[in-house]
Amino acid sequence: MKIAHPTLTIAQPAVTVEDIDDPTTVNAGIELIDQNAVTLQSEPMRARRVTVRLGASMVLFHSSNLRVRTRTRTRAGLLAYLAFGPQAQGTVNGLPVRPGLVLAAEPGAEARFVVDAGWNDVSFFVPLQEIRMHLATRQREGDFRLPHGVELLRVRQQRGRQLFNWGKRLVDFAARQPTLFDESRRERIAARAELLEIILSTLWEAKDLEPA
């Protein structure tokens, strides 16, 4: 697969909804991350991915009916933040996850997930330079620590839930009305601005998770 630079315009629809029944196809059709998956149960796979492209940023919803092991790596120049759904259970790089935690990954970092059946999450991919620009504009560079590798961050459970719910509402709305995002640049710009605001407001208070 050809790797696309995150600042380039991707010749793809703004919204795609994919039902995945074969783990070997999980990396097809997605341009800003590399991903592969292996199911850990013998039942038929029913996973779903909804992708909402907001210029150089992207929001991604994943769900799975099976226990699955995946490896996911972000492409160059992108920060990744992931909010776990209320029923999400599993591990990331061997650490157990739960609602109220937020995963943060620097560009090029790889996360190894083992997720239980019923998993869902929302991932947010934002250009590193865009985050830096917003911090500089607000004169808050010193208040915000960018991730190194893959990190699990503690936030108030309400904050983590709000981040997941915002992303879920966006992908649900986009899946119902994909042409609105395809045809309206204004809609994409507004969603992208709101995305940056909710990520920054969530992460101001984030603290590193102390592994047991």
Side-chain angles (χ1 to χ4, degrees):
M1 175 180 290
K2 185 177 180 181
I3 298 178
H5 192 281
T7 60
L8 296 180
T9 301
I10 306 300
Q12 294 211 38
V15 182
T16 54
V17 180
E18 302 159 90
D19 291 313
I20 302 168
D21 58 11
D22 181 353
T24 64
T25 66
V26 72
N27 202 45
I30 187 166
E31 67 279 357
L32 297 184
I33 63 173
D34 292 310
Q35 187 174 58
N36 60 50
V38 176
T39 59
L40 302 178
Q41 295 175 256
S42 58
E43 290 87 349
M45 182 179 187
R46 293 190 303 276
R48 169 163 284 206
R49 179 170 65 210
V50 182
T51 307
V52 184
R53 299 173 178 87
L54 305 172
S57 298
M58 185 169 67
V59 179
L60 214 62
F61 169 79
H62 280 112
S63 66
S64 175
N65 69 317
L66 296 182
R67 183 173 169 84
V68 177
R69 182 175 66 240
T70 71
R71 289 190 300 114
T72 302
R73 184 188 299 273
T74 57
R75 300 285 175 88
L78 287 176
L79 289 170
Y81 296 97
L82 184 148
F84 303 101
Q87 306 303 320
Q89 293 187 7
T91 62
V92 177
N93 292 355
L95 295 175
V97 301
R98 64 180 186 272
L101 299 179
V102 172
L103 181 145
E106 69 176 338
E110 181 178 279
R112 301 180 303 279
F113 293 83
V114 177
V115 308
D116 290 345
W119 174 275
N120 54 19
D121 68 59
V122 180
S123 303
F124 309 88
F125 299 90
V126 184
L128 173 59
Q129 292 303 322
E130 192 163 341
I131 290 283
R132 283 177 169 163
M133 180 186 70
H134 277 262
L135 293 173
T137 299
R138 302 172 192 208
Q139 298 182 339
R140 298 198 67 173
E141 301 98 317
D143 300 336
F144 192 90
R145 187 177 65 80
L146 296 170
H148 297 286
V150 177
E151 302 177 354
L152 282 172
L153 306 175
R154 288 186 294 116
V155 298
R156 283 186 298 170
Q157 189 167 10
Q158 180 182 3
R159 282 288 194 183
R161 189 182 302 119
Q162 286 174 346
L163 182 60
F164 174 84
N165 289 343
W166 182 89
K168 187 64 166 58
R169 285 195 301 271
L170 175 71
V171 298
D172 287 347
F173 178 73
R176 290 194 304 268
Q177 301 193 47
T179 55
L180 182 62
F181 285 80
D182 278 326
E183 298 172 359
S184 175
R185 183 171 178 268
R186 180 179 178 182
E187 193 76 29
R188 295 194 300 272
I189 290 173
R192 185 173 172 180
E194 193 171 352
L195 163 63
L196 285 168
E197 288 297 326
I198 194 165
I199 285 177
L200 291 174
S201 65
T202 300
L203 296 176
W204 290 135
E205 61 180 50
K207 299 178 181 178
D208 291 344
L209 180 68
E210 295 288 344

Coordinates of all heavy atoms in Angstrom, one line a residue, residues 10 12-18 20 26 28-33 35 48-54 57-62 123 125 170-172 174-175 178 181-182:
I10 N -6.3 13.4 0.3 CA -6.6 12.0 0.0 C -7.8 11.9 -1.0 O -8.8 12.4 -0.7 CB -6.8 11.2 1.2 CG1 -5.7 11.4 2.2 CG2 -7.0 9.7 0.9 CD1 -4.3 11.0 1.8
Q12 N -10.2 10.2 -1.5 CA -11.2 9.3 -0.9 C -12.4 10.0 -0.5 O -12.3 11.2 -0.2 CB -10.6 8.5 0.2 CG -9.4 7.6 -0.2 CD -9.3 6.3 0.7 OE1 -10.3 5.8 1.1 NE2 -8.1 5.9 1.0
P13 N -13.6 9.3 -0.3 CA -14.7 10.0 0.3 C -14.4 10.5 1.7 O -13.6 9.9 2.4 CB -15.8 9.0 0.2 CG -15.1 7.7 0.1 CD -13.8 7.9 -0.7
A14 N -15.2 11.5 2.1 CA -15.0 12.0 3.5 C -15.4 11.0 4.5 O -14.9 10.9 5.6 CB -15.7 13.3 3.7
V15 N -16.3 10.1 4.2 CA -16.9 9.1 5.1 C -16.9 7.8 4.5 O -17.4 7.6 3.4 CB -18.3 9.5 5.6 CG1 -18.8 8.5 6.6 CG2 -18.3 10.9 6.2
T16 N -16.4 6.8 5.2 CA -16.5 5.4 4.7 C -17.0 4.5 5.9 O -16.5 4.7 7.0 CB -15.2 4.8 4.1 OG1 -14.2 5.0 5.1 CG2 -14.8 5.5 2.9
V17 N -17.9 3.6 5.6 CA -18.4 2.6 6.6 C -18.1 1.2 6.1 O -18.5 0.9 4.9 CB -19.9 2.8 6.8 CG1 -20.4 1.8 7.8 CG2 -20.2 4.2 7.2
E18 N -17.3 0.5 6.8 CA -16.9 -0.9 6.4 C -17.2 -1.9 7.4 O -16.9 -1.8 8.6 CB -15.3 -0.9 6.2 CG -14.8 0.2 5.2 CD -13.4 0.4 5.4 OE1 -12.6 -0.3 4.8 OE2 -13.0 1.3 6.2
I20 N -16.3 -5.6 8.4 CA -15.2 -6.4 8.2 C -15.4 -7.9 8.7 O -15.7 -8.0 9.9 CB -13.9 -5.8 8.9 CG1 -13.7 -4.4 8.4 CG2 -12.7 -6.7 8.7 CD1 -12.7 -3.6 9.2
V26 N -8.2 -6.0 7.1 CA -8.4 -4.9 8.0 C -7.6 -3.6 7.6 O -8.0 -2.5 7.9 CB -8.1 -5.3 9.5 CG1 -6.6 -5.4 9.6 CG2 -8.6 -4.3 10.5
A28 N -7.0 -2.6 4.5 CA -7.4 -2.1 3.2 C -8.3 -0.8 3.3 O -9.1 -0.7 4.2 CB -8.2 -3.2 2.4
G29 N -8.0 0.1 2.5 CA -8.8 1.3 2.4 C -8.6 2.4 3.4 O -9.3 3.3 3.5
I30 N -7.5 2.2 4.2 CA -7.3 3.2 5.3 C -5.8 3.7 5.1 O -4.9 3.0 5.0 CB -7.5 2.6 6.7 CG1 -7.4 3.7 7.7 CG2 -6.5 1.5 6.9 CD1 -7.9 3.2 9.1
E31 N -5.7 5.1 5.0 CA -4.5 5.6 4.5 C -3.5 6.2 5.5 O -2.4 6.5 5.3 CB -4.8 6.7 3.5 CG -5.5 8.0 4.1 CD -7.0 7.8 4.3 OE1 -7.5 6.7 3.9 OE2 -7.6 8.7 4.8
L32 N -4.0 6.5 6.8 CA -3.2 7.2 7.7 C -2.6 6.3 8.8 O -1.9 6.8 9.7 CB -3.9 8.4 8.3 CG -4.4 9.4 7.3 CD1 -5.0 10.6 8.0 CD2 -3.2 9.9 6.5
I33 N -3.0 5.0 8.8 CA -2.4 4.1 9.8 C -2.1 2.8 9.1 O -2.7 2.5 8.0 CB -3.3 3.8 11.0 CG1 -4.6 3.2 10.6 CG2 -3.6 5.1 11.8 CD1 -5.5 2.7 11.7
Q35 N -2.3 -1.3 9.9 CA -3.0 -2.1 10.9 C -3.1 -3.6 10.4 O -3.3 -3.8 9.2 CB -4.4 -1.6 11.2 CG -5.1 -2.3 12.3 CD -6.4 -1.6 12.6 OE1 -7.3 -1.5 11.8 NE2 -6.6 -1.1 13.9
R48 N -16.7 -3.6 12.6 CA -17.1 -2.4 11.8 C -16.1 -1.3 12.0 O -15.5 -1.1 13.1 CB -18.5 -1.9 12.3 CG -18.8 -0.6 11.7 CD -20.3 -0.3 11.8 NE -21.0 -1.0 10.7 CZ -22.2 -0.6 10.2 NH1 -22.8 0.5 10.7 NH2 -22.8 -1.3 9.3
R49 N -15.8 -0.6 11.0 CA -15.0 0.6 11.0 C -15.6 1.7 10.3 O -16.1 1.6 9.1 CB -13.6 0.3 10.4 CG -12.7 1.5 10.4 CD -11.3 1.1 10.0 NE -11.2 0.7 8.6 CZ -10.3 -0.2 8.1 NH1 -9.4 -0.8 8.9 NH2 -10.3 -0.5 6.9
V50 N -15.8 2.9 10.9 CA -16.3 4.1 10.3 C -15.2 5.1 10.3 O -14.6 5.4 11.4 CB -17.5 4.6 11.1 CG1 -18.1 5.9 10.4 CG2 -18.6 3.6 11.2
T51 N -14.9 5.6 9.2 CA -13.8 6.6 9.0 C -14.4 7.9 8.6 O -15.1 8.0 7.6 CB -12.8 6.1 7.9 OG1 -12.3 4.8 8.3 CG2 -11.6 7.1 7.9
V52 N -14.0 9.0 9.3 CA -14.5 10.3 9.0 C -13.2 11.2 8.7 O -12.4 11.4 9.7 CB -15.3 11.0 10.1 CG1 -15.8 12.4 9.6 CG2 -16.5 10.1 10.4
R53 N -13.0 11.6 7.5 CA -11.8 12.4 7.1 C -12.1 13.8 7.2 O -13.0 14.3 6.5 CB -11.3 11.9 5.7 CG -11.0 10.5 5.7 CD -10.7 10.0 4.2 NE -10.3 8.6 4.2 CZ -11.1 7.6 4.1 NH1 -12.4 7.9 4.0 NH2 -10.7 6.3 4.1
L54 N -11.3 14.6 8.0 CA -11.5 16.0 8.2 C -10.2 16.7 7.7 O -9.5 17.3 8.5 CB -11.8 16.3 9.7 CG -13.0 15.5 10.3 CD1 -13.1 15.7 11.8 CD2 -14.3 15.9 9.6
S57 N -6.8 15.6 9.4 CA -7.2 14.9 10.6 C -8.2 13.8 10.3 O -8.8 13.8 9.2 CB -7.8 15.9 11.7 OG -6.9 16.9 12.0
M58 N -8.4 12.9 11.2 CA -9.3 11.8 10.9 C -9.8 11.2 12.2 O -9.1 11.2 13.2 CB -8.5 10.7 10.2 CG -9.4 9.5 9.7 SD -8.5 8.4 8.6 CE -7.2 7.7 9.7
V59 N -11.1 10.8 12.2 CA -11.7 10.2 13.3 C -12.1 8.8 12.9 O -12.7 8.6 11.8 CB -13.0 11.0 13.8 CG1 -13.7 10.3 15.0 CG2 -12.6 12.4 14.2
L60 N -11.9 7.8 13.8 CA -12.0 6.4 13.4 C -12.8 5.7 14.5 O -12.4 5.8 15.7 CB -10.7 5.8 13.2 CG -10.5 4.7 12.2 CD1 -10.7 5.2 10.8 CD2 -9.0 4.1 12.3
F61 N -13.9 5.0 14.2 CA -14.6 4.2 15.1 C -14.3 2.7 14.8 O -14.4 2.3 13.6 CB -16.1 4.5 15.1 CG -16.9 3.5 15.8 CD1 -17.0 3.6 17.2 CD2 -17.6 2.5 15.2 CE1 -17.8 2.6 17.9 CE2 -18.4 1.5 15.9 CZ -18.5 1.6 17.2
H62 N -14.0 1.9 15.8 CA -13.9 0.5 15.6 C -14.8 -0.3 16.6 O -14.9 0.1 17.8 CB -12.4 0.0 15.9 CG -11.5 0.3 14.8 ND1 -10.5 1.2 14.9 CD2 -11.3 -0.3 13.6 CE1 -9.8 1.2 13.8 NE2 -10.3 0.3 13.0
S123 N -10.9 6.6 17.7 CA -9.5 7.1 17.6 C -9.5 8.5 16.9 O -10.3 8.7 16.0 CB -8.6 6.2 16.9 OG -8.6 4.9 17.5
F125 N -6.9 11.2 15.0 CA -5.6 11.4 14.4 C -5.4 12.9 14.0 O -6.2 13.4 13.2 CB -5.4 10.5 13.2 CG -5.5 9.0 13.6 CD1 -6.7 8.4 13.5 CD2 -4.3 8.3 14.0 CE1 -6.8 7.0 13.9 CE2 -4.5 7.0 14.4 CZ -5.7 6.3 14.3
L170 N -20.2 12.0 16.3 CA -19.7 12.4 15.0 C -19.8 11.3 13.9 O -20.3 11.5 12.8 CB -18.2 13.0 15.1 CG -17.6 13.4 13.8 CD1 -18.2 14.6 13.2 CD2 -16.1 13.5 13.9
V171 N -19.2 10.1 14.3 CA -19.2 9.1 13.3 C -20.6 8.6 13.0 O -20.9 8.2 11.8 CB -18.3 7.9 13.7 CG1 -16.9 8.4 13.8 CG2 -18.8 7.2 15.0
D172 N -21.5 8.6 14.0 CA -22.9 8.1 13.7 C -23.6 9.1 12.8 O -24.3 8.7 11.8 CB -23.7 8.0 15.0 CG -23.3 6.8 15.9 OD1 -22.6 5.9 15.3 OD2 -23.7 6.8 17.0
A174 N -22.1 11.2 10.7 CA -21.4 11.1 9.4 C -21.9 9.9 8.6 O -22.0 9.9 7.4 CB -19.9 11.2 9.5
A175 N -22.1 8.8 9.3 CA -22.5 7.6 8.6 C -23.9 7.7 8.1 O -24.2 7.1 7.0 CB -22.4 6.4 9.6
P178 N -23.4 10.9 4.9 CA -22.0 11.0 4.4 C -21.9 12.1 3.3 O -20.8 12.8 3.2 CB -21.7 9.7 3.8 CG -23.1 9.1 3.5 CD -24.0 9.6 4.6
F181 N -20.7 15.6 4.5 CA -19.3 15.8 4.7 C -18.6 15.8 3.4 O -17.5 16.5 3.2 CB -18.8 14.7 5.6 CG -19.1 14.9 7.1 CD1 -20.4 14.5 7.5 CD2 -18.2 15.4 8.0 CE1 -20.7 14.7 8.9 CE2 -18.6 15.6 9.3 CZ -19.8 15.3 9.8
D182 N -19.0 15.0 2.4 CA -18.4 15.0 1.1 C -18.5 16.4 0.4 O -17.6 16.8 -0.2 CB -19.0 13.9 0.2 CG -18.4 12.6 0.5 OD1 -17.2 12.5 0.8 OD2 -19.2 11.6 0.4

